[in-house]
Amino acid sequence: MSPKTETMVGIGGAAESTDMVLNIGPQHPSTHGVLRLRLVLDGERIQQAEPVIGYMHRGAEKLFEARDYRQIVMLANRHDWLSAFSNELGVVLAVERMLGMEVPERAVWTRTLLAELNRVLNHLMFLGSYPLELGGITPVFHAFREREELQNVMEEVSGGRMHYMFNRVGGLKEDLPLGWTSRARAAVASVRSRMDVYDRLVLGNEIFRGRTRNVGVLTPEAVHAYGVSGPIGRASGVDFDLRRDEPYLAYGELQDVLKVVTRQEGDCLARFECLLEQTHVALDLADACLDRIADLPPGPINQRLPKVLKAPEGHTYAWTENPLGINGYYLVSKGEKTPYRLKLRSASYNNIQALTELLPGTLVADMVAILGSLFFVVGDIDK
C-alpha cells in the first residue's frame, strides 16, 4: 500500500489514498460570519477539524483600557450582537461590585425583565435560522415576526433595536415609559401564543429530525473539558445555570418560575430542543417580572454618580447566564477612571472549541448541521 500524502485544495477532490485539507470559510455562507474551519477529510468523512478564529478581531479588551466606566458599556454591548442587553449587564455588575453599590429595587427587576426579553430575542433568531441551514425556510419568517413584536417594546424603552445602551452603572438610563408594561405584557402573550409553530414545523418534521438526531453528540466530559455552557452544555446533561446556582439580579426570588432545561442525548436535536424550551421559560420569567414591577411603589431607577467615576483599587469577577452561555468579566482597577484590565470570558469562544471533538468521524454533509447547532455569534469569539 502506497504511503498517504497530504494535498491542500480549496474545492474538489484528490487522488485515492490522499487526505484532503478543505477550508470552510471564512466566507462560507453557513459559518455565521467570518469563521474558518480547516478540515482534514478522508473521502466524505472528517478526520480532523480546527476552528481558525480572529478574522473579526476588534481589540475590544484593549480598548476597554482606554475608555472610562461609562464608555466601556458601549464596547461590551457589541461582541454578541444578539445579546446586547446581557453584555452591558455583565460590565455594570462588575463595576457596581467594585464600588460596593446597591442598585434600586425597581432597577433590579427591570433589568431582569429586559434580560429575559433579550434572551427570547436571541433564541428566536437561532430557532429560525437553524432550520434554514438545513433547508427549511419557513420557520425563519415566523421567527422574525415574533422578534419584531419584542423588538418594538425593547426599542420603545431604550431607543435601540439591537444595541440598547440602556444599562448604567447604578441602574438604568431612565424609567419605563407610561403604559409600557401593558404593551410588553401583550407582546409576550402574543409571542407565546405562536411558539407551537416550532413544535409543528420543526420538531414535527421528519427530515429535520433525521438530520439532527444522533448527529454531533457532545459528551458531558467534553463539555467540562472545553468549558461549554448555556443550552449547548445543558443539552449534554450538564445541569448548570447561574440564574439558579448563583443567583444575581432578581433571580433568587424567581426560583419557583425558573426551570433549568436539560437533555441527556447531547446531539443536535437535543440542543435545539433545549433552546426552544428555554424560550418558553424566558417568557414565563418575563411575565413574573412584569407582575412584580406592577406591585412596586414608585421609586428611583438609578443611583446618582459623580462626574468622574473611579473604581477603587482591586479586582473582581462578575459572571452572568447570557443567552448563549456563561459571560464573565474580570475587572482589575488601579483606582483610575479607566479599567487597568478588563478580561472578557465569552460563551461562544468556549463553545466553538468543541468542534474539534464533534466533527472528527462525521460526514461532511453533517458539518453544517453540527456547526449550526452550537448557536454561536462570531463577534462573541473574536473579542
Side-chain angles (χ1 to χ4, degrees), residues 82-145:
L82 295 178
S83 309
F85 186 87
S86 300
N87 300 338
E88 302 169 12
L89 189 59
V91 172
V92 297
L93 287 176
V95 179
E96 288 163 3
R97 183 174 296 177
M98 289 285 284
L99 293 167
M101 180 180 291
E102 288 288 333
V103 177
E105 185 181 18
R106 190 171 184 81
V108 170
W109 281 95
T110 305
R111 279 178 172 179
T112 310
L113 166 63
L114 296 176
E116 291 306 312
L117 292 179
N118 191 197
R119 193 181 308 276
V120 177
L121 281 169
N122 175 288
H123 291 357
L124 282 171
M125 175 61 78
F126 290 108
L127 291 174
S129 66
Y130 184 49
L132 179 64
E133 293 171 356
L134 299 182
I137 192 172
T138 308
V140 76
F141 297 124
H142 291 276
F144 270 88
R145 179 183 62 185

Side-chain angles (χ1 to χ4, degrees), residues 54 64 80 107 168 179 188 209 254 305 382:
F64 286 150
D80 174 358
R168 296 291 186 273
V188 168
R209 298 183 76 87
L254 292 169
L305 299 176
D382 298 336

Side-chain angles (χ1 to χ4, degrees), residues 58-76 91 95 309 331 336-342:
R58 293 165 291 171
E61 289 184 353
K62 197 64 182 173
L63 291 172
F64 286 150
E65 300 169 15
R67 304 291 192 274
D68 67 35
Y69 287 105
R70 293 179 175 89
Q71 294 169 329
I72 59 175
V73 175
M74 181 275 293
L75 291 170
V91 172
V95 179
L309 180 64
L331 172 63
E336 303 296 331
K337 66 178 182 179
T338 62
Y340 175 75
R341 182 78 171 94
L342 186 55

Side-chain angles (χ1 to χ4, degrees), residues 13-87:
E16 273 185 54
S17 78
T18 300
D19 287 343
M20 182 170 68
V21 180
L22 182 66
N23 284 302
I24 305 293
Q27 298 86 19
H28 195 275
S30 69
T31 53
H32 295 255
V34 282
L35 172 71
R36 174 184 164 207
L37 292 178
R38 183 180 181 274
L39 307 178
V40 178
L41 306 179
D42 181 9
E44 287 293 310
R45 199 164 292 278
I46 299 171
Q47 289 188 322
Q48 299 174 33
E50 177 192 1
V52 182
I53 64 173
Y55 291 94
M56 198 176 179
H57 180 56
R58 293 165 291 171
E61 289 184 353
K62 197 64 182 173
L63 291 172
F64 286 150
E65 300 169 15
R67 304 291 192 274
D68 67 35
Y69 287 105
R70 293 179 175 89
Q71 294 169 329
I72 59 175
V73 175
M74 181 275 293
L75 291 170
N77 175 290
R78 285 160 167 74
H79 58 87
D80 174 358
W81 46 77
L82 295 178
S83 309
F85 186 87
S86 300
N87 300 338

